[in-house]
Amino acid sequence: MLVFPGGADLAYCRTLNGEGNRRISQFVERGGAYLGFCAGGYYGSKRCEFEVGNKNLEVVGNRELAFYPDACRGCAFPGFVYHSEAGARNVELKVSKTALSKGSVPDVFRSYYNGGGVFVDAPKYHDKGVEILASFTEKLNVDAGEGLAAVVYCKVGDGAAVLTGPHPEFAPINLDKEKDSEVPGFSKVIEALAEDDKQRTDFLKACLTKLGLHVNQEEDLVPSLSRLHLSSLIASTTSEVVASLEDIITVEDDEEYIKDDNDTFHIERPSSWSVSDRKSQESDDDDANEDRILNYSTIIKRVVVHDQEYPATKETPYFNHHAYFANLKHYRSESGEEENGFGQQLLYGEVVTSTNTILEKNTQILRRLPSGLTATATVQVAGRGRGNNVWVSPAGSLIFSTVIRHPVSLLNHAPVVFLQYLAALAIVEGIKNYDNGYQNIPVKLKWPNDIYALDPEDNAGKTYVKIGGILVNSHYSSSEYLSVVGIGINTANTSPSTSLNALRPPTPFTLEKLLARILTCFSDFYNRFKRTGFDKHFEEMYYRHWLHTDQIVTLEAEGGVRAQIKGITRDWGLLIAEELGWEDRGTGKLWTLQTDSNSFDFFKGLVKRKV
């Protein structure tokens, strides 16, 4: 789903007119969904008519997307001022239960409004796939033609668009009552919206369902952050990790804290817990279940140090530390891996912000952590991907981040850029060597950092879908690179694509055992890499597992030249592509493409420049 928020639709026009809008239209027509709030509603209509006759505010013109086949005309109510709540109000909306027939749908509710429009003559376009989802009930400031359509659904090819004039996505808890001093009565607007907040949420869920999304019907959508549990394969060595942090620990009222760049951590010892502490595992994040935009960095993260024994299953019901460490020990004995390998120290939280953020964004702690320490979680509420991508990672995914201290002295033969390739190999090899009978699990690598699996629903056996990804962040510090390798693998969730357990393994994968297997593979590979670099052994293994052997692609940055993928360079891991000439014969001209400058659309065979 593509969401266009409020603001000013002229900015969208300046950026997207032409090729951008063509791609959006194509996305929706092929089955995608478009959700436009306020300015996004104007932008998704055939014509925008905003404050006609007001020389300071007037915006009038046709729009290219034209999902709604007529004008969106506003402002529906007077008083709008940019970057102000001066024209804000709660507006009553009458909901069409005919158009929204699934879920719990209110008859009427009040929604935040500030500058949106009405969809002109909406009832006339029913035969063109337009449905009115909600209508204004009050007299409008503009001519709405037939009807008072505030929210409309538009069928577009195999997809659809929902366009709104008001802001049903605005939760009252995120509005500022202190604006009352600037806009008298604004606090009353917020109070009225709060009374109808459940109805607002139900309406928004119904709209998303109408667009074909699977919607969580639970009211408590954002779980509270949980305690973090620090443990080690040899329980007594956990105290060594804490000892390495002593110089940055501060004591306040006999309690130990670490205040780092991004987060503050409260160090707890199980022996010091009170009875009430043992019964309650909740964080200080009391408002997490409210529809609030949370600043997670302000919430104190509590770290329990387990230096006597592993965390009990009652403390971590969704992750069995005994099973994890037992499997880690078993796999190590099979491989003859050195005693201090990856995963020896483990930081686990049932609900965390992001395992990558906890390690990589808190640099004082990161500088003191041992190589191989791994953070894992059951749920992430602010997971990180490449660029600025952020998402919620639900239970059922294997989520973890591992610290690697890579010496600068090794860079000539073992560049740090290869860590993402080693991680990808460890994932695939870990899956295929999970146990006897798993060697044919159909998983592959996509350059540079994605994991794909054969779609079990494709009877032809040709379609691969993404089930995992890798993110590596590195800091240079003195004589080494401090790298955090973040990995996410969909292990048990059938959505949004498929999962490892949908690939019909002999027995389902468990997160504890899979984590132990991947970490032992990763540790083995890294130790060899330090000695040999990305040698012929790694190169052959990588090509055995990747998707791109002899794939023909289009190089967007080279003017649409056709080329054939030949491999990656052993020095810096660049993608090698050879130009194709007459009858797709190689010309001998080669390009080497960087991971951070290009992205690979595997299904379109397109290597394109990142922007």
Side-chain angles (χ1 to χ4, degrees):
M1 182 174 72
L2 181 62
V3 180
F4 271 64
D9 98 313
L10 281 179
Y12 300 150
C13 294
R14 286 191 292 268
T15 304
L16 296 169
N17 275 355
E19 178 62 14
N21 285 332
R22 185 191 68 78
R23 292 190 180 188
I24 294 171
S25 294
Q26 188 178 69
F27 164 73
V28 178
E29 288 168 359
R30 291 179 175 178
Y34 175 102
L35 179 57
F37 296 112
C38 197
Y42 284 112
Y43 190 65
S45 299
K46 185 176 182 179
R47 183 172 175 81
C48 171
E49 296 181 3
F50 181 79
E51 288 294 284
V52 177
N54 183 334
K55 63 179 181 180
N56 294 319
L57 294 176
E58 182 178 276
V59 177
V60 179
N62 293 335
R63 296 292 181 261
E64 293 178 346
L65 293 179
F67 297 141
Y68 179 68
D70 205 322
C72 181
R73 183 176 294 156
C75 296
F77 299 93
F80 175 77
V81 177
Y82 277 110
H83 313 298
S84 168
E85 302 287 7
R89 63 175 66 201
N90 61 75
V91 294
E92 186 178 74
L93 300 179
K94 173 69 174 175
V95 178
S96 170
K97 290 192 173 184
T98 303
L100 295 174
S101 58
K102 295 182 180 180
S104 174
V105 183
D107 290 316
V108 296
F109 74 100
R110 287 168 290 185
S111 172
Y112 174 83
Y113 168 91
N114 197 356
V118 61
F119 298 92
V120 176
D121 287 328
K124 294 182 179 180
Y125 299 105
H126 183 76
D127 61 345
K128 292 188 176 182
V130 174
E131 298 179 53
I132 301 172
L133 305 186
S135 300
F136 295 112
T137 63
E138 304 163 58
K139 183 179 179 181
L140 303 186
N141 193 47
V142 294
D143 181 7
E146 183 181 340
L148 299 172
V151 182
V152 293
Y153 168 90
C154 310
K155 184 64 178 170
V156 184
D158 291 330
V162 167
L163 312 179
T164 81
H167 282 280
E169 82 281 16
F170 271 41
I173 198 169
N174 292 317
L175 298 174
D176 188 359
K177 286 187 176 182
E178 294 183 4
K179 293 285 181 72
D180 224 27
S181 58
E182 304 171 21
V183 183
F186 186 60
S187 61
K188 298 293 185 184
V189 171
I190 297 175
E191 290 171 7
L193 294 173
E195 292 176 3
D196 285 6
D197 197 47
K198 184 182 184 305
Q199 293 93 316
R200 174 196 68 84
T201 304
D202 288 341
F203 173 77
L204 191 57
K205 287 179 179 180
C207 290
L208 296 175
T209 302
K210 182 81 172 177
L211 284 171
L213 276 70
H214 297 287
V215 180
N216 188 341
Q217 297 299 329
E218 296 178 12
E219 292 188 19
D220 295 339
L221 300 183
V222 182
S224 298
L225 299 184
S226 65
R227 279 186 169 97
L228 301 168
H229 296 267
L230 180 63
S231 58
S232 298
L233 178 62
I234 302 172
S236 60
T237 61
T238 308
S239 57
E240 296 175 10
V241 178
V242 180
S244 70
L245 305 173
E246 287 293 342
D247 61 326
I248 57 173
I249 292 177
T250 59
V251 179
E252 300 177 17
D253 298 326
D254 295 326
E255 299 290 338
E256 294 178 316
Y257 295 89
I258 298 176
K259 297 179 180 179
D260 213 324
D261 301 334
N262 193 77
D263 296 294
T264 297
F265 299 90
H266 180 195
I267 311 299
E268 297 181 345
R269 318 277 179 166
S271 59
S272 67
W273 287 4
S274 66
V275 174
S276 60
D277 283 330
R278 290 182 183 274
K279 290 181 179 178
S280 174
Q281 293 290 315
E282 291 82 23
S283 172
D284 297 327
D285 177 16
D286 294 330
D287 291 328
N289 287 328
E290 298 185 30
D291 196 0
R292 176 188 292 276
I293 299 173
L294 290 171
N295 181 1
Y296 286 110
S297 64
T298 64
I299 299 170
I300 295 175
K301 318 301 186 296
R302 298 193 280 179
V303 181
V304 182
V305 178
H306 296 269
D307 54 5
Q308 301 296 320
E309 57 186 4
Y310 300 152
T313 53
K314 287 185 178 180
E315 298 172 60
T316 61
Y318 296 98
F319 189 88
N320 188 322
H321 284 76
H322 292 269
Y324 164 72
F325 284 119
N327 280 293
L328 188 71
K329 190 180 296 185
H330 167 71
Y331 287 132
R332 283 185 174 185
S333 67
E334 280 189 343
S335 65
E337 185 195 352
E338 64 182 48
E339 185 175 311
N340 217 8
F342 292 178
Q344 171 99 359
Q345 298 87 14
L346 190 73
L347 183 67
Y348 166 78
E350 183 179 323
V351 181
V352 305
T353 51
S354 157
T355 58
N356 250 46
T357 296
I358 287 172
L359 297 179
E360 191 255 333
K361 293 297 183 183
N362 293 295
T363 55
Q364 292 187 71
I365 293 175
L366 179 61
R367 292 191 192 104
R368 294 163 173 82
L369 292 178
S371 192
L373 182 142
T374 295
T376 187
T378 298
V379 174
Q380 287 186 146
V381 293
R384 292 171 58 197
R386 286 171 69 85
N388 293 316
N389 295 331
V390 178
W391 66 88
V392 173
S393 303
S397 296
L398 177 60
I399 310 158
F400 66 99
S401 300
T402 299
V403 176
I404 298 180
R405 308 180 74 100
H406 191 69
V408 171
S409 60
L410 300 180
L411 289 186
N412 284 338
H413 76 278
V416 72
V417 69
F418 278 102
L419 291 181
Q420 62 185 330
Y421 300 122
L422 297 179
L425 286 173
I427 294 168
V428 174
E429 286 287 319
I431 291 169
K432 291 178 175 291
N433 292 282
Y434 178 84
D435 211 330
N436 294 329
Y438 288 76
Q439 64 272 15
N440 293 322
I441 296 292
V443 289
K444 292 283 187 180
L445 309 177
K446 173 183 163 295
W447 182 86
N449 53 15
D450 288 329
I451 309 299
Y452 274 59
L454 192 65
D455 188 348
E457 296 185 4
D458 177 21
N459 294 327
K462 296 181 179 180
T463 303
Y464 280 84
V465 292
K466 182 175 177 178
I467 62 164
I470 302 159
L471 174 68
V472 180
N473 294 105
S474 298
H475 299 266
Y476 176 73
S477 177
S478 185
S479 61
E480 61 186 357
Y481 278 95
L482 298 176
S483 298
V484 176
V485 181
I487 292 172
I489 307 164
N490 189 359
T491 308
N493 295 314
T494 55
S495 295
S497 54
T498 191
S499 69
L500 287 179
N501 284 341
L503 302 178
R504 305 179 185 90
T507 58
F509 289 91
T510 67
L511 299 181
E512 295 88 349
K513 185 174 179 177
L514 183 59
L515 176 60
R517 175 72 281 194
I518 292 173
L519 285 173
T520 49
C521 288
F522 197 5
S523 190
D524 283 345
F525 294 164
Y526 178 66
N527 287 328
R528 178 189 175 99
F529 173 68
K530 287 192 295 182
R531 298 190 306 270
T532 68
F534 201 79
D535 62 3
K536 188 73 172 176
H537 170 78
F538 282 127
E539 186 179 47
E540 291 175 353
M541 187 190 304
Y542 193 82
Y543 294 155
R544 186 164 66 248
H545 292 313
W546 83 335
L547 285 164
H548 309 299
T549 301
D550 295 330
Q551 183 180 358
I552 295 176
V553 298
T554 300
L555 303 182
E556 188 178 72
E558 304 299 334
V561 169
R562 281 171 62 81
Q564 189 172 50
I565 300 300
K566 308 304 289 185
I568 58 174
T569 65
R570 275 203 233 161
D571 52 0
W572 297 106
L574 306 180
L575 188 70
I576 305 169
E578 181 184 12
E579 180 185 51
L580 296 178
W582 184 67
E583 292 186 343
D584 279 344
R585 296 177 180 175
T587 66
K589 183 176 181 179
L590 299 178
W591 282 276
T592 54
L593 308 171
Q594 298 181 47
T595 62
D596 290 334
S597 302
N598 299 277
S599 62
F600 199 152
D601 190 329
F602 171 72
F603 299 105
K604 293 182 180 178
L606 180 68
V607 179
K608 50 192 175 184
R609 178 81 59 191
K610 287 185 180 177
V611 294

